[in-house]
Amino acid sequence: MLDFEKPIAELEAKLSDMTKIASESGVNMDETIKSLENKIEDLKKDTFANLTRWQRVQLSRHPDRPYTLDYIYELTDDFVELHGDRSVSDDKAMVGGFGTISGKTYMLIGQQKGRNTKQRQMRNFGMANPEGYRKALRLMKLAEKFNKPIITFIDTPGAFPGIEAEERGQGEAIAKNLREMFMLKVPVICLIIGEGASGGALGIGIGDRVLMLENTWYSVISPESCSSILWRSWDYKEQAAEALKLTAGDMKSFKMIDGIVKEPLGGAHTDFKKMSSTLKRTITKTTNELETLTPEERINQRIDKFSQMGVFNE
């Protein structure tokens, strides 16, 4: 449980006890219970409307937050996972395959984290190796071949920085993905569902529409790493998060993303069904919009959008 969630949890525990007492004793406490429910709702609204940037980073990493496969299995009934980059191996940190959403077949690709120690080791904490990015590109090309739209789910603390990853061409693999994603003829929707860190996120982040869930972040570096570089300590991570301006609201104001997907009050993990339903509607609506354009129009708009990013003074 996160620090700013504790006051809410305390009131919810009190509500639970009060409801139990009322049920067991037969005493009418409806008015008191209703008053406490309203108090909890007001506290939630006030708390989550005024989160600091660091608190949103914490929320994006919440242990109960849905991961890529959670969304994929909730959004589709027939997901078929595809494996391997046809060169080195199958990177478990990057998953992908075909699935049907609202009657339309998509290629679904994303980074996958683990829930427990064993899963985290298998998924490498959601940090993909070069073979993960090459697998992602192979699946994108497959989707293009069969004229299927692509959805990417971004949730990574960064590409794996190990020596072996660099030896196998981590930089080249990500750079190639950037180049090739600009030229894909099918609609591409990128969803940042958790952490969007550095080139690890950008490696599957070039799309016609880039959308962020409300409590996620997108930056060239994590607040902790930024703090350790600038101040030689992680103690200034809150200050670093404020300086980096990495939240969905910040990114939208900088025109780095195309939209923000609202989360249930308290975060995506508090009502997974509602979050998935919102995502399904967003995906369907966005796909329908993109399919009114020709492949050439989509490619040109994609290139123009990313080319116009950034601010400079002459």
Side-chain angles (χ1 to χ4, degrees):
M1 183 185 298
L2 303 173
D3 289 342
F4 57 86
E5 292 180 311
K6 287 178 182 176
I8 298 168
E10 288 169 5
L11 286 181
E12 287 178 335
K14 188 176 179 182
L15 176 64
S16 179
D17 292 341
M18 196 178 289
T19 306
K20 186 178 179 183
I21 291 168
S23 176
E24 291 175 351
S25 65
V27 177
N28 189 333
M29 300 176 71
D30 290 351
E31 212 171 292
T32 310
I33 289 171
K34 183 66 177 173
S35 174
L36 188 55
E37 285 175 341
N38 290 337
K39 188 176 180 181
I40 291 170
E41 186 71 11
D42 290 342
L43 180 59
K44 277 185 176 180
K45 287 179 180 177
D46 183 59
T47 299
F48 290 98
N50 296 289
L51 291 177
T52 65
R53 290 182 173 92
W54 172 246
Q55 286 172 333
R56 290 200 187 277
V57 170
Q58 289 180 296
L59 203 53
S60 76
R61 298 168 175 168
H62 198 288
D64 297 328
R65 193 172 179 86
Y67 294 149
T68 294
L69 286 176
D70 297 322
Y71 284 118
I72 287 176
Y73 285 122
E74 183 64 27
L75 292 169
T76 71
D77 296 320
D78 57 353
F79 178 63
V80 178
E81 187 173 354
L82 301 173
H83 299 272
D85 69 338
R86 299 295 186 268
S87 179
V88 177
S89 66
D90 181 44
D91 190 345
K92 302 296 184 185
M94 188 77 74
V95 297
F98 285 114
T100 305
I101 301 174
S102 302
K104 184 180 289 292
T105 301
Y106 292 84
M107 175 60 79
L108 306 154
I109 301 166
Q111 289 109 351
Q112 175 67 21
K113 295 177 177 177
R115 293 283 174 198
N116 53 44
T117 303
K118 188 176 180 180
Q119 287 181 5
R120 288 177 189 130
Q121 287 179 328
M122 181 183 77
R123 301 292 183 183
N124 200 27
F125 299 88
M127 297 186 293
N129 278 280
E131 49 270 28
Y133 291 101
R134 289 175 183 131
K135 172 166 76 169
L137 181 57
R138 181 178 76 83
L139 299 186
M140 291 178 203
K141 289 293 188 181
L142 190 64
E144 184 179 47
K145 180 178 180 180
F146 291 105
N147 197 30
K148 303 299 180 187
I150 298 165
I151 302 171
T152 67
F153 296 85
I154 298 167
D155 186 14
T156 179
F160 184 57
I163 292 173
E164 61 272 31
E166 298 298 340
E167 288 174 343
R168 293 197 299 275
Q170 185 73 286
E172 184 274 341
I174 292 172
K176 188 173 181 180
N177 277 24
L178 303 187
R179 184 189 69 191
E180 295 297 326
M181 288 186 78
F182 274 117
M183 305 308 295
L184 289 169
K185 295 177 182 177
V186 294
V188 183
I189 303 169
C190 303
L191 301 170
I192 300 169
I193 60 171
E195 300 184 272
S198 194
L202 204 56
I204 55 169
I206 304 296
D208 301 295
R209 298 289 184 274
V210 180
L211 308 173
M212 289 179 73
L213 269 59
E214 189 178 4
N215 296 305
T216 62
W217 62 275
Y218 197 23
S219 176
V220 70
I221 194 170
S222 71
E224 295 94 330
S225 298
C226 178
S227 175
S228 67
I229 291 170
L230 295 182
W231 290 283
R232 300 289 187 268
S233 167
W234 279 24
D235 296 340
Y236 300 92
K237 52 188 179 290
E238 292 94 339
Q239 191 175 334
E242 290 299 318
L244 286 168
K245 294 181 170 57
L246 39 57
T247 65
D250 293 324
M251 292 297 106
K252 186 71 171 68
S253 68
F254 297 147
K255 299 181 180 178
M256 302 293 285
I257 61 168
D258 301 294
I260 301 171
V261 182
K262 192 165 180 60
E263 295 185 21
L265 187 62
H269 59 285
T270 60
D271 193 341
F272 176 51
K273 294 285 185 183
K274 184 179 179 181
M275 186 72 254
S276 298
S277 178
T278 301
L279 265 187
K280 181 179 276 192
R281 289 195 303 273
T282 302
I283 289 168
T284 303
K285 179 174 177 288
T286 306
T287 304
N288 290 339
E289 289 172 1
L290 292 173
E291 287 186 334
T292 62
L293 304 172
T294 65
E296 291 74 21
E297 287 173 330
R298 281 195 298 267
I299 289 169
N300 289 333
Q301 286 184 17
R302 205 180 295 157
I303 292 170
D304 289 343
K305 179 178 71 171
F306 281 88
S307 297
Q308 290 167 12
M309 289 181 182
V311 177
F312 63 91
N313 293 317
E314 291 185 355

